[in-house]
Amino acid sequence: MFNKTEAEERVWLADVIEKLEDAFQAVNEAVTKTANELQAQKKYLYENKTGMDAAEKASLKQTVNMQALTGEAAVAYKKRLLKLIETPYFGRIDFRETGSVKAEPIYVGIHSFFDEKENENLIHDWRAPVSGMFYDFEPGKASFEAPSGTKEGEIERKRQYRIKDGEMEMMLESDLYIRDDVLQKELSRSGDDKMKNIVATIQRDQNAIIRDETSPVLIIQGVAGSGKTSIALHRIAFLLYRFKDEIQSRDIMIISPNKVFSDYISNVLPELGEDTIPEMEMETLAQRVLGDKYKFRSFFDQVNDLLEVHDQEFINRIKFKSTPEFLQKLNTYASDLKRNRFKATDISVRYKTITANYLRQRYNANNQLPLMRRHTAIATDVLKKAKREFKYDLRNEEKKEIRKMVKNMIGTTNLRVLYKEFYDWLKRPDMLQYATRSTFEFADLFPLMYLKMQLEGADSFRQVKHLIVDEMQDYTAVQYAVLSRLFPCNKTILGDTNQNVNPYSSTSSDDIKDVFTDSLAVSLYKSYRSTYEITRFSQRVSPRTDVEPVERHGNEPETLKFSKSADERKAILELIKEYEQSDRNSLGILCKTQKQAKALHRYLELNGVKVHLLTPGSSEMGSGMLITSAHLAKGLEFDEVIVPHISHENYKTDVDRSMLYIACTRAMHMLTLSHTGEVTEIIDHSGR
């Protein structure tokens, strides 16, 4: 089985595929047999249910349920075999354990395959401990953690393959980490409308993050194109494999920026043989906690307002509510309410008096309850006291009056009023402004939600055993405090501080560590998405010294200048024609605002160009050409990107800079920018 030559490898591949096909045929027959038996059992149960006793019915139902579970497992195995028949494996290492005479070839694939006839594991799952050596070591000394302890030895050979539809397209001997030839070829391929798995090209630093089992909260700070989202999803696939008896896909949740992004990443886990995981947007989470009682501007609205109108007072309010200090003040205010809100007074129960001192004692005794729920417990204590000590059998009207009197001692329970009083308490009433008469600004959504949780309590999502938070930089300290309270589980939090769509409320990994004190922060500096030239150009928009561009070269980004906007639009039409005649799969036309995207979309449609307009209400990315704002394109990537209207008039603020950086870093292979009049000064024109 040592397969020293490529010819021997091809023979071996054909043999493995034949065994996979035999296994598929066998399990297919078993599935058909189980399905027929299940149908027969159900039919028998239906036709004879009146003549069966309870024990016989229960026994038959249990048999049916067991057969159904067996059938489901067999169907899942069929799916894995089908994937393996297309691409059985992508790597091989020959590992000789210390003390052994010869090395054992280990083929690494997306799933494992055990040949029962030969009684040997022909393919090892990429998540298996032994497979970790494929990513972590070059030929030479190596080790891995087996269930029985550390296994040390030497890797004598390492190979990488590209196998598609059962045919070997490429085989490389590798003396280096998994990079260079295979990685370059993968990165050079055209993109798709869905994110793909990266199991064949996982790098050593990425592998360490994926296989981290011990960090309660793992924070991944990764530059644009570093693969952080893909790594987080592969980490979930690893945890589902490693702890398969403790956690399942339905026990995981991802907080995603929008539905389009959720659709874009929806392929990754199924490609890895796992079910898709539930997802939720932050605003949906807020709605679940707050209900429909309050109206808010959305985060998209907030960013759009910042892009279209530079209102300094609006910016100041956003900044004020985004800091850890603001969260501390909100906590102090809630604590102050809990200490001082309850104004106990004597109350009469028929001919007896319940003293204010007793009521205060009961208030303090129920301190495990949220403030707004304590009055119910206190009233219950009063009623028990009246029955036990006074021997009163109170009427319903009397009980209702006692509950009302106790509740009044807390004062108003109107959350809107208490939130307004918070800013009076701060002596900063100017920091609360409504977007319209009854609609809150987005910056108030999570402070209000947090205050509600502090004063009224909130049920946590205890069914969630692992939470993924993407685009971490766009959430404030208050939002992380909300997540900490609602999700008392392990977390993977990821993002890039340079890709904030609102720099006035952005958060760094250090800020997040202040909320989650048991967290581990890791950084990814290498950018794989874009060519060297595009990455360097992007650094002229947002200067960064920590980005390491991958050594994959392409065309220099082009900036086109026009004297009239009509000429700029015509040039975009020509760029689209060039794209349509190319072999590239995806084109993103990324404008600063949604308003600009709509206007350009209308122009393109009038000129016969069918391009998909991505909006805040879109639920899928679609394929081919799309036009949208940079904000909605976050997390996506395209073979080619066109960024129109980069004039000095259009791009000049800090928010504009963020948008331009995001737009440029979406491009994988080609980037073209255009402007009418003077180009924005945001771009460093020294060309460094």
Side-chain angles (χ1 to χ4, degrees), residues 1 55 87 108 123 165 171 173 200 257 335 365 431-432 449 485 501 533 548 562 579 588 605-606 622 629 647 662:
M1 200 174 85
T87 306
V108 181
I123 305 170
D165 296 329
M171 185 193 90
E173 298 284 351
S335 298
M431 285 293 113
L432 178 62
M449 181 179 172
R485 181 85 173 266
V501 294
E533 289 76 15
E548 299 174 16
F562 302 93
Y579 160 77
E605 292 265 290
L606 288 171
S629 65
S647 66
I662 291 167

Side-chain angles (χ1 to χ4, degrees), residues 183-192 195 198 206 222-231 261 264-265 470-471 494-496 499 525-536 538 544 547-554 586 590 621 630 633-641 661-671:
L183 180 59
Q184 291 286 356
K185 285 180 172 63
E186 288 300 316
L187 294 176
S188 298
R189 296 169 75 177
S190 292
D192 208 338
M195 182 181 283
I198 59 169
Q206 296 172 333
V223 301
S226 58
K228 51 192 174 292
T229 302
S230 188
I231 290 166
F261 179 75
Y264 179 61
I265 66 173
D470 206 348
E471 305 297 350
L494 56 141
D496 176 20
Q499 293 185 71
Y525 299 111
K526 180 158 280 190
S527 178
Y528 300 97
R529 175 186 297 136
S530 306
T531 62
Y532 181 91
E533 289 76 15
I534 292 172
T535 301
R536 285 300 186 212
S538 300
R544 296 188 65 159
V547 179
E548 299 174 16
V550 70
E551 287 290 333
R552 177 173 66 86
H553 290 279
S586 58
L590 308 182
M621 179 177 170
K634 268 185 66 171
L636 308 180
E637 59 185 25
F638 307 89
D639 289 332
E640 180 178 350
V641 166
Y661 181 75
I662 291 167
C664 292
T665 54
R666 300 309 94 201
M668 297 168 63
H669 308 302
M670 287 192 68
L671 173 63

Side-chain angles (χ1 to χ4, degrees), residues 84-179:
L84 288 177
I85 288 169
E86 290 181 3
T87 306
Y89 45 81
F90 51 81
R92 164 185 167 180
I93 52 173
D94 293 354
F95 179 66
R96 181 170 56 81
E97 190 176 345
T98 301
S100 296
V101 177
K102 63 177 184 177
E104 291 294 329
I106 297 165
Y107 285 85
V108 181
I110 203 164
H111 301 300
S112 63
F113 175 61
F114 184 80
D115 184 2
E116 294 184 359
K117 290 181 181 178
E118 300 293 331
N119 196 33
E120 65 176 329
N121 213 356
L122 297 184
I123 305 170
H124 294 263
D125 192 296
W126 67 278
R127 297 167 291 188
V130 70
S131 301
M133 292 190 293
F134 176 73
Y135 302 108
D136 289 342
F137 295 99
E138 54 191 300
K141 291 188 180 300
S143 63
F144 70 98
E145 293 299 323
S148 58
T150 303
K151 301 291 184 182
E152 296 182 339
E154 187 170 346
I155 293 175
E156 296 184 351
R157 172 179 281 118
K158 187 173 181 179
R159 279 179 179 164
Q160 302 165 78
Y161 314 88
R162 183 191 288 163
I163 300 170
K164 187 177 180 182
D165 296 329
E167 295 292 329
M168 186 182 294
E169 296 180 347
M170 179 181 68
M171 185 193 90
L172 292 174
E173 298 284 351
S174 176
D175 292 327
L176 299 171
Y177 301 134
I178 309 305
R179 59 180 182 225

Side-chain angles (χ1 to χ4, degrees), residues 426-479:
L426 286 173
K427 297 182 174 58
R428 292 301 306 271
D430 57 307
M431 285 293 113
L432 178 62
Q433 299 290 329
Y434 289 94
T436 63
R437 205 166 90 183
S438 61
T439 302
F440 285 99
E441 293 179 340
F442 177 79
D444 292 303
L445 174 54
F446 286 89
L448 185 76
M449 181 179 172
Y450 185 71
L451 187 62
K452 176 184 171 69
M453 291 166 57
Q454 286 283 65
L455 301 181
E456 300 177 17
D459 294 331
S460 61
F461 291 73
R462 294 199 173 274
Q463 77 277 13
V464 177
K465 296 179 181 176
H466 197 104
L467 182 72
I468 307 172
V469 182
D470 206 348
E471 305 297 350
M472 68 181 189
Q473 68 280 357
D474 289 334
Y475 304 127
T476 65
V478 174
Q479 287 174 287

Side-chain angles (χ1 to χ4, degrees), residues 58 231 243 268 313 342 414 490 635:
I231 290 166
F243 302 103
V268 176
E313 291 184 358
F342 187 65
N414 186 306
N490 288 355

Side-chain angles (χ1 to χ4, degrees), residues 384-419:
K384 286 180 179 178
K385 182 179 179 71
K387 187 176 182 68
R388 184 179 63 251
E389 296 182 18
F390 305 156
K391 311 302 181 185
Y392 288 159
D393 189 11
L394 298 175
R395 299 186 302 276
N396 285 337
E397 294 80 5
E398 292 175 301
K399 292 178 181 178
K400 187 175 180 181
E401 183 61 26
I402 288 171
R403 292 190 181 100
K404 181 180 178 181
M405 286 189 288
V406 174
K407 185 176 181 180
N408 287 341
M409 292 177 194
I410 288 180
T412 183
T413 56
N414 186 306
L415 187 61
R416 189 184 290 268
V417 172
L418 291 170
Y419 187 63

